[in-house]
Amino acid sequence: MTTAIYTHADCQRHEMGDWHPETPARLEAIEDQLILSRIDQFLDRREAPLADPAELERVHTAAAVDYVREHSHALSLSGQSYHSVDGDTLLNKHSWKAALRAAGAAVAATDAVLAGELDNAFCAVRPPGHHATPAKAMGFCLFNNVAVAARHATDVHGLERVAVIDFDVHHGNGTEAIFAGDERVLMCSFFQHPFFPNSGTDAPAHNMLNTPLPAYSGGDAVRPVVTDRWLPALAAFKPELLLISAGFDAHREDDMGQMGLVEADYAWITQQLVSVADRHAQGRVVSVLEGGYNLSALGRSVVAHIRALAKL
Ligand SMILES: [Zn+2]
């Protein structure tokens, strides 16, 4: 059993101000907990390569890709610290490279898992991706890392069925916008609703299995969504690869959302997904970090998630 972790120091150079919860310290918290938990020694450590902009353009418009590149590079020349994309999404001069590493990790992990070099992989990267739509960076996200990997799997590797599982507290509106109606992709998610970005409930496409949940939902509400909705749909779909938008902001200690998951819930959800992958997809899972803003809860939850991926 080989589980890899993909990351890169460039992912810590993108930052949006001291006040911002999507902070480089998130990746440090994950590293600290990996070492404390002593599971680090069982993981294959890999550097995230830079994505090729052509890989991004399988899901994003050329204008959306150019926007991040040009505004990030312009900051190096102007001496200004930040360019504001929207109220809570900013660029600094390192953002372009960090975003290429984040998407590059997802693509490289997909290549390695499909080549049979690895059983599965976790990408400890930022910026996150699932709010990024074809034309627009938003919600702390610049490029949609998981969507780029999914398109890479279908268009380059020729896979016919890829499942995208999103357990972030927020709805993955960007991923939905990219794949709604695409028969090669099944997206399964739950999310707090009503809540940012206030999408996912208005007649989703038939390949979007969305379950909005009210604030204060905990594991007892989430687990039946997995067993009664996700697992039957995944069994019928028979994915050849599972991609996970792994956000940990539905944790009960995470103030970004108001849901009540704990580490044991993340472990259990991951175990269910690994079982699906073992049955249908030769065990192939690529998981990519999305949200998770309480640093301690994030680190502990990622460890629980990786333990389940690696069957430790
Ligand atoms: Zn989130």
Side-chain angles (χ1 to χ4, degrees):
M1 195 75 206
T2 310
T3 295
I5 179 161
Y6 283 79
T7 190
H8 197 282
D10 285 345
C11 292
Q12 283 170 301
R13 296 190 179 110
H14 161 72
E15 56 85 22
M16 299 182 280
D18 290 344
W19 60 275
H20 204 295
E22 205 289 278
T23 158
R26 298 175 63 229
L27 297 185
E28 290 164 30
I30 290 171
E31 289 297 333
D32 289 350
Q33 287 293 335
L34 285 173
I35 291 162
L36 266 176
S37 68
R38 301 174 186 235
I39 63 169
D40 198 41
Q41 58 188 310
F42 301 110
L43 303 175
D44 183 345
R45 288 245 164 209
R46 298 196 174 197
E47 291 240 300
L50 297 166
D52 184 326
E55 293 167 336
L56 306 179
E57 289 179 21
R58 291 201 186 97
V59 304
H60 295 292
T61 63
V65 174
D66 289 345
Y67 177 93
V68 175
R69 175 170 38 211
E70 285 167 17
H71 286 284
S72 182
H73 285 167
L75 291 168
S76 301
L77 304 172
S78 72
Q80 289 192 314
S81 298
Y82 304 110
H83 169 83
S84 178
V85 177
D86 61 36
D88 50 26
T89 310
L90 296 97
L91 305 176
N92 75 351
K93 64 183 177 185
H94 302 294
S95 298
W96 166 246
K97 239 180 170 182
L100 291 186
R101 296 283 181 199
V107 169
T110 298
D111 283 337
V113 165
L114 291 178
E117 282 171 44
L118 302 171
D119 293 296
N120 54 43
F122 178 73
C123 302
V125 292
R126 50 184 293 281
H130 73 153
H131 296 306
T133 71
K136 193 156 130 318
M138 62 173 277
F140 314 168
C141 300
L142 301 182
F143 302 127
N144 197 314
N145 307 315
V146 161
V148 170
R151 275 277 159 77
H152 182 75
T154 56
D155 294 11
V156 176
H157 291 279
L159 296 198
E160 293 174 354
R161 295 177 310 281
V162 175
V164 174
I165 315 297
D166 188 328
F167 55 68
D168 192 276
V169 77
H170 303 97
H171 175 237
N173 62 299
T175 317
E176 176 161 310
I178 290 161
F179 293 119
D182 184 335
E183 302 295 335
R184 299 170 299 176
V185 174
L186 171 68
M187 183 174 177
C188 301
S189 74
F190 63 79
F191 47 89
Q192 183 178 324
H193 184 82
F195 198 42
F196 179 88
N198 296 306
S199 53
T201 53
D202 190 17
H206 65 90
N207 64 326
M208 295 288 142
L209 194 57
N210 296 352
T211 305
L213 293 170
Y216 308 110
S217 297
D220 56 342
V222 162
R223 293 190 189 209
V225 172
V226 176
T227 48
D228 300 347
R229 302 204 71 202
W230 292 7
L231 297 183
L234 289 165
F237 184 65
K238 297 183 174 55
E240 298 162 285
L241 169 70
L242 274 74
L243 297 173
I244 304 178
S245 265
F248 298 92
D249 42 8
H251 195 285
R252 75 175 170 201
E253 292 169 33
D254 198 309
D255 293 334
M256 184 71 74
Q258 287 82 42
M259 283 184 64
L261 298 191
V262 295
E263 292 93 301
D265 295 309
Y266 290 114
W268 181 86
I269 293 168
T270 309
Q271 285 159 1
Q272 305 309 306
L273 298 175
V274 167
S275 301
V276 170
D278 284 345
R279 201 166 307 131
H280 299 290
Q282 301 170 49
R284 302 186 294 206
V285 181
V286 174
S287 177
V288 185
L289 181 66
E290 299 283 1
Y293 304 99
N294 177 300
L295 297 180
S296 172
L298 171 64
R300 289 181 279 121
S301 300
V302 168
V303 165
H305 178 57
I306 292 178
R307 268 189 205 283
L309 286 176
K311 300 182 179 170
L312 292 171

